[in-house]
Amino acid sequence: MKALLLAAAAGLALASSAMAADTGWSRPDFLPSDALILAALEASPELAEARALQRSAEAERRGLAAGPYETIIGLSSDRRRIRGEGDFAEWSVQASRALRSPGKRALDLAAGSAGALAARDSVDDARHQASLRLAGLWIEWLEAEARILVDRDEIAVDEREVAALRRRVELKDASQLELELAQAALARAQATLAETQGRAEAARSAIDMLYPGLAPPRAPSLSAPVAPTRALDEWIPVVIARSHEITIAKALADRDSALARRARLDQRPDPTVGLRVFNERGGAETGAGLTVSIPFGSVGRSATAERQSASASAAEARYRMVVRDVEAEGRNDVAKARSGLAAWARASQATAAAAQAADRVQRAYALGERDLTDLLAARRQLFDARRIEVSARAAAQGALLRLALDAHELWLSEEEAPQ
């Protein structure tokens, strides 16, 4: 089974890679290969559920195409006693079936096809939702691992400072207060590292549980974000045009509309036609005949039609809401991508400025022009700036990744591949 999933994922990955040149977006290098990601997504319970529901919808489509009516065979066997004539064996056989009108059959076919289409798109949407969760966990893991590097750098600097001050205190060249300040800074950095390591372990654990075997032993480096070559505002119509949520909602609205029209037609019941063959008086009387029966419409049929009509109106309103929500989501994706890129650029500049300031304070401290408090404050500002840059980098990469996923530019199925 695993081999089959990997083979299927490899085929999907080729379809995804074939479209890479036209995406207007550069795939980040910190992601696993498409084949591995697609294999993990295909093996997820979300897709298993969606595929089961797809099989259910296909069975429902076949059922609607066949119709609700079946041929009914009736058999009776009697024994008649006629005074003065004797006993006679009698029997009759009847076959009957309700006849569905062509208009009702066409609506049943339309409802079944629309339901099957919604179910097929639901499989792709399940893959999309699973990919969004994977992307979020992956970025969270890489951000935490990148912050661990910053925390360790700060600890290394503080440890050197504490060791130097301890020696100076022994030589009566520095005060005990200065040593305690440096030790406090070291303890704060160690506490920050412990908290960051917990975040990294939690994200890695979630990835290993949900997508076994996908994460490498060591986290890849979280690279700098790159703006898409396609203008950001041009992504909004792409997100809307390729949204499976919209196609699912439209298919379900079409299905409910067809069922509502079907229920209105069903207020005029279908006739039941039968053929009857009988044998009476021990074979002295035989015959055959046709039977026709028509139910009288009741309040129940009218109520069913009214209920289906209300459901169709609700489905149409739901479709309009989904279109609105998807457009809002696309605009939100673009806004976050734009602000994320800008925030990361400012954070990078702030980190560079903080590094220069910390270097100047370090030189001034060595010359005796600044005290330890100034040096510790400058270092703290530098490492805080580096942490902010890591968070801004992760936020920008996460926003770009979500934008690409919502536009179906990444981890596509063959059906999803944009034209």
Side-chain angles (χ1 to χ4, degrees):
M1 176 61 71
K2 185 175 181 180
L4 289 175
L5 288 173
L6 286 172
L12 296 181
L14 289 175
S16 178
S17 300
M19 295 296 165
D22 302 322
T23 60
W25 176 78
S26 299
R27 186 186 188 281
D29 55 5
F30 55 73
L31 294 173
S33 68
D34 284 347
L36 289 177
I37 291 175
L38 286 167
L41 295 178
E42 292 298 317
S44 65
E46 294 91 332
L47 260 75
E49 178 190 23
R51 293 191 190 284
L53 293 175
Q54 182 185 12
R55 292 194 298 271
S56 174
E58 288 292 341
E60 182 184 36
R61 180 187 62 80
R62 294 194 301 271
L64 287 171
Y69 304 136
E70 297 176 330
T71 300
I72 300 174
I73 304 295
L75 173 65
S76 68
S77 177
D78 306 295
R79 191 159 190 87
R80 178 181 297 184
R81 175 177 294 175
I82 301 177
R83 188 176 300 171
E85 296 186 18
D87 294 344
F88 301 96
E90 299 182 345
W91 56 265
S92 67
V93 177
Q94 178 173 311
S96 62
R97 183 184 179 92
L99 301 180
R100 181 174 47 165
S101 67
K104 292 180 181 180
R105 183 177 186 277
L107 291 172
D108 286 339
L109 291 173
S113 297
L117 174 61
R120 287 195 297 273
D121 280 353
S122 293
V123 173
D124 291 327
D125 191 56
R127 183 187 297 107
H128 176 230
Q129 297 303 323
S131 69
L132 288 175
R133 181 167 64 170
L134 170 58
L137 287 172
W138 200 264
I139 292 294
E140 183 180 349
W141 177 44
L142 298 193
E143 177 186 1
E145 292 289 350
R147 289 193 58 167
I148 285 176
L149 298 179
V150 177
D151 295 341
R152 285 175 176 167
D153 285 348
E154 183 176 19
I155 288 174
V157 171
D158 289 343
E159 285 176 340
R160 289 195 298 269
E161 190 65 41
V162 167
L165 283 170
R166 186 175 288 117
R167 178 60 178 162
R168 289 177 60 193
V169 168
E170 293 174 354
L171 297 174
K172 308 300 183 181
D173 187 42
S175 68
Q176 184 66 29
L177 176 60
E178 289 179 311
L179 177 58
E180 291 172 351
L181 288 174
Q183 289 173 332
L186 174 60
R188 182 189 63 81
Q190 290 170 335
T192 301
L193 174 62
E195 187 269 338
T196 307
Q197 287 176 327
R199 289 176 50 198
E201 290 173 5
R204 173 60 188 260
S205 176
I207 293 172
D208 288 342
M209 182 185 67
L210 296 172
Y211 312 100
L214 182 61
R218 297 183 60 181
S221 176
L222 183 63
S223 57
V226 178
T229 55
R230 177 191 293 149
L232 285 175
D233 288 336
E234 294 178 5
W235 285 79
I236 298 173
V238 176
V239 170
I240 296 172
R242 298 177 183 172
S243 170
H244 283 122
E245 294 177 67
I246 291 178
T247 58
I248 292 169
K250 182 64 169 67
L252 291 177
D254 291 342
R255 178 181 182 274
D256 282 358
S257 176
L259 290 177
R261 287 180 287 160
R262 174 68 162 82
R264 286 198 297 271
L265 289 181
D266 214 30
Q267 292 183 87
R268 181 178 299 172
D270 292 322
T272 299
V273 178
L275 173 64
R276 178 174 178 266
V277 178
F278 61 88
N279 182 307
E280 298 180 353
R281 294 178 66 88
E285 297 181 10
T286 61
L290 293 174
T291 63
V292 177
S293 60
I294 302 176
F296 284 100
S298 64
V299 176
R301 291 178 181 266
S302 299
T304 299
E306 185 176 348
R307 175 176 59 82
Q308 289 288 0
S309 178
S311 296
S313 298
E316 181 63 29
R318 192 178 307 114
Y319 164 64
R320 293 196 298 270
M321 286 190 294
V322 169
V323 173
R324 180 196 62 188
D325 291 345
V326 169
E327 180 177 358
E329 185 177 353
R331 294 183 180 279
N332 185 57
D333 287 348
V334 168
K336 286 186 175 180
R338 181 180 286 115
S339 63
L341 288 168
W344 171 75
R346 297 294 183 271
S348 298
Q349 294 172 0
T351 300
Q356 292 178 353
D359 186 60
R360 290 193 181 95
V361 173
Q362 176 69 50
R363 291 196 300 269
Y365 174 73
L367 296 173
E369 298 175 357
R370 291 293 184 94
D371 58 21
L372 181 63
T373 303
D374 294 332
L375 178 60
L376 293 178
R379 284 177 179 169
R380 182 170 182 175
Q381 184 179 36
L382 169 60
F383 286 108
D384 285 346
R386 287 181 60 184
R387 292 187 184 95
I388 291 173
E389 186 277 330
V390 169
S391 296
R393 193 192 330 156
Q397 287 284 26
L400 291 172
L401 193 53
R402 183 179 183 91
L403 179 60
L405 288 171
D406 282 344
H408 296 184
E409 298 286 15
L410 189 62
W411 307 336
L412 307 174
S413 73
E414 293 172 351
E415 293 81 6
E416 284 181 287
Q419 302 298 320

